[in-house]
Amino acid sequence: MSKKNTIFARLNSYTMQIEKLYEIFTQHPTVTTDTRQCTPGAMFFALKGETFDGNKFATQALEKGCSHAIIDEAEYAVADDPRYIVVDNVLTTLQQLARHHRRAMGTKVIGVTGTNGKTTTKELIATVLSQKYNVLYTQGNFNNDIGVPKTLLQLNKEHEIAVVEMGASHPGDIKTLVDIVEPDYGIITNVGKAHLQGFGSLEGVIHTKGELYDFLRGKEGSVVFIDNGNDLLKGISGGLRLVTYGTTGEEDLCVGGEVLSCAPMLQFRWRHGAGEWHEVATHLIGTYNVTNMLAAACIGLYFGVEPQQIDEALSAYCPTNNRSQLTITEHNRLVVDAYNANPTSMNAALCNFRDMEVSPKMAILGAMRELGESSEEEHRKVISFLLENGFGEVWLVGEEFNLEGCPYPCFHDVEEVKKAIAEKRPEGYYILIKGSNSTRLFELPALL
């Protein structure tokens, strides 16, 4: 059993302590895990990491105005000071408190996961639902075992729906999160090759993402929103109540749609069943985003958002997170998709860039990380794709691309790329910037 699952197995072992802690939380309904973000009256949770121990900062948090400090090392508590609360494990306590609060609020929760597109889809869903409801949704990509409970603890009585993103890099991660979130509805955007070093194989990815389905399968009244064209997801969806969307052209879909153009912004149309078509011009780059848009439209319709409101929400959404983002500079037009990269998302970005009716083109591609034994094979596939499709100017970043026979310049890191930009000053290009976040290609747009 993993350390994370061992911790979670203990969640029910101190319910009484959680109830007492929850009484305090109702009086101080703000939590922080960072002494740099101590607002007056907040509860400080002293989390531990590989390189830090929050227990050591408990006193500092109280001095900065926090109401209580939740710690799991009693030596850092001051005797007879009730503001120090000692628990078995701070992370487990944070998670259990979040679940307790989620149950107390009774808010309907939509759980979102997937290999690619989950953050964009989460934001699109929230944007659409906000046309009718007061929506709480995950900020940024705070989708792990710390970010998810912190999101849930922001729920209040004004919220009518919550959209909670859940990420995973190891087997069992989604089960840990759904057991905290207890979603009523769920969507897996897709499954693909990512974090293979942690999952071991594509089958491991499918099993872990499918843990959302497993939870919902056992929950009365649950609903799953699913891409009807995704055979991998349909293959693990048995026993679930499905609401479908997709580009397959079938009239029995809740929402069907198709791409109209992408030059460079995505324009598409959608309809409910065999109803009238709705055309939407978006601010997103990439034909692959059409399924994310259709998912949001499908969920919006299910919750009673009017079609015109859906159109307005989808057309108004502007990405600001280095995902499918067009950035126009003084010298170039940049297709910035530099938040993350794996074989599935890289292939989608390259296919879309190939099909964009613009010129001249240039690609700056960063390495795909955490692929384990598949790394060399997957990076060779990218090189082969580039050769077969004639991308013109190509710069590769990261030692993973430095393979025998690679005809393109390969830079050790982003700092070398910055020097090359200063020397060569690319101008007049459409430039695709795509790579894993750790390659730091997001630092390049300001220079191009």
Side-chain angles (χ1 to χ4, degrees):
M1 183 180 293
S2 69
K3 178 180 179 182
K4 188 178 294 183
N5 286 337
T6 300
I7 290 173
F8 194 82
R10 299 163 57 192
L11 277 175
N12 293 313
S13 67
Y14 45 99
T15 302
M16 185 63 70
Q17 184 181 41
I18 291 299
E19 290 177 350
K20 292 180 179 178
L21 192 63
Y22 190 64
E23 291 180 10
I24 298 173
F25 174 75
T26 59
Q27 301 300 315
H28 304 278
T30 303
V31 302
T32 183
T33 58
D34 189 336
T35 53
R36 294 168 297 183
Q37 300 172 353
C38 289
T39 56
M43 298 174 67
F44 174 70
F45 283 77
L47 297 176
K48 295 177 182 175
E50 294 182 2
T51 60
F52 66 91
D53 182 353
N55 287 276
K56 297 178 179 179
F57 301 95
T59 299
Q60 182 182 129
L62 293 174
E63 291 173 347
K64 287 189 171 185
C66 285
S67 65
H68 295 81
I70 292 79
I71 61 177
D72 50 21
E73 294 182 19
E75 64 188 270
Y76 291 100
V78 175
D80 300 323
D81 188 336
R83 297 179 301 167
Y84 294 89
I85 300 175
V86 182
V87 299
D88 290 343
N89 183 284
V90 172
L91 177 58
T92 305
T93 301
L94 179 68
Q95 295 170 339
Q96 179 73 339
L97 183 67
R99 184 172 72 175
H100 191 94
H101 181 57
R102 180 262 182 276
R103 289 176 175 175
M105 290 293 99
T107 311
K108 293 297 184 183
V109 178
I110 303 170
V112 182
T113 191
T115 300
N116 302 304
K118 56 183 174 293
T119 298
T120 298
T121 301
K122 171 260 301 180
E123 294 193 352
L124 290 171
I125 293 169
T127 298
V128 168
L129 292 178
S130 293
Q131 299 293 307
K132 183 175 181 178
Y133 301 97
N134 187 322
V135 181
L136 172 73
Y137 62 99
T138 304
Q139 296 300 302
N141 69 320
F142 295 151
N143 58 19
N144 62 9
D145 55 353
I146 298 172
V148 166
K150 289 177 73 173
T151 296
L152 290 176
L153 287 169
Q154 295 175 39
L155 277 170
N156 62 51
K157 293 180 180 179
E158 302 300 317
H159 293 124
E160 298 169 284
I161 298 177
V163 184
V164 181
E165 180 183 339
M166 296 175 287
S169 55
H170 296 87
D173 282 355
I174 296 300
K175 184 180 187 309
T176 296
L177 297 178
V178 295
D179 284 344
I180 299 168
V181 175
E182 297 185 342
D184 305 285
Y185 310 89
I187 176 172
I188 303 176
T189 56
N190 51 50
V191 287
K193 295 179 179 179
H195 301 294
L196 295 182
Q197 188 171 330
F199 288 119
S201 64
L202 177 60
E203 289 71 25
V205 178
I206 296 170
H207 176 78
T208 299
K209 301 297 184 183
E211 289 168 350
L212 172 59
Y213 285 179
D214 294 340
F215 178 87
L216 292 170
R217 194 174 283 112
K219 185 163 187 175
E220 185 177 355
S222 65
V223 173
V224 164
F225 304 95
I226 189 170
D227 178 0
N228 194 58
N230 192 311
D231 291 335
L232 289 177
L233 293 180
K234 290 173 69 177
I236 60 172
S237 66
L240 292 165
R241 180 185 172 195
L242 304 178
V243 177
T244 57
Y245 62 90
T247 58
T248 57
E250 299 174 19
E251 293 186 353
D252 61 346
L253 299 178
C254 174
V255 167
E258 61 187 15
V259 174
L260 296 177
S261 67
C262 194
M265 298 300 189
L266 169 66
Q267 295 189 48
F268 75 104
R269 66 178 186 170
W270 67 275
R271 64 180 178 177
H272 174 43
E276 64 176 307
W277 287 102
H278 298 261
E279 293 191 10
V280 179
T282 81
H283 293 282
L284 283 174
I285 295 286
T287 55
Y288 49 83
N289 273 305
V290 69
T291 52
N292 301 333
M293 290 279 178
L294 295 177
C298 178
I299 293 173
L301 275 184
Y302 181 87
F303 283 98
V305 181
E306 294 295 328
Q308 182 179 349
Q309 293 177 305
I310 293 173
D311 293 344
E312 292 172 355
L314 296 179
S315 63
Y317 173 75
C318 294
T320 57
N321 49 17
N322 291 319
R323 290 176 169 91
S324 305
Q325 185 175 339
L326 179 67
T327 300
I328 300 175
T329 71
E330 183 180 351
H331 304 291
N332 300 285
R333 294 174 182 262
L334 314 179
V335 180
V336 185
D337 198 358
Y339 183 80
N340 218 335
N342 56 59
T344 306
S345 67
M346 181 67 81
N347 184 69
L350 289 174
C351 286
N352 178 75
F353 195 54
R354 175 196 61 194
D355 296 339
M356 283 174 57
E357 298 176 3
V358 296
S359 64
K361 297 178 182 179
M362 176 179 182
I364 303 178
L365 307 180
M368 302 173 289
R369 300 280 159 78
E370 299 182 43
L371 294 181
E373 296 179 356
S374 301
S375 181
E376 181 176 340
E377 176 187 359
E378 296 298 341
H379 284 88
R380 285 196 180 280
K381 287 181 180 178
V382 172
I383 294 169
S384 296
F385 186 97
L386 292 167
L387 288 170
E388 293 168 4
N389 290 279
F391 273 73
E393 188 81 11
V394 174
W395 293 0
L396 303 177
V397 188
E399 292 305 311
E400 291 86 345
F401 276 121
N402 192 16
L403 301 170
E404 184 178 354
C406 177
Y408 303 111
C410 183
F411 300 86
H412 176 71
D413 57 25
V414 72
E415 298 304 322
E416 288 190 2
V417 180
K418 291 177 181 178
K419 293 177 182 178
I421 291 173
E423 293 173 1
K424 299 188 177 182
R425 299 187 180 280
E427 189 167 349
Y429 286 96
Y430 275 83
I431 305 177
L432 171 64
I433 302 175
K434 174 74 175 175
S436 286
N437 196 46
S438 58
T439 61
R440 294 166 41 215
L441 298 192
F442 55 80
E443 297 179 7
L444 298 181
L447 307 176
L448 290 163

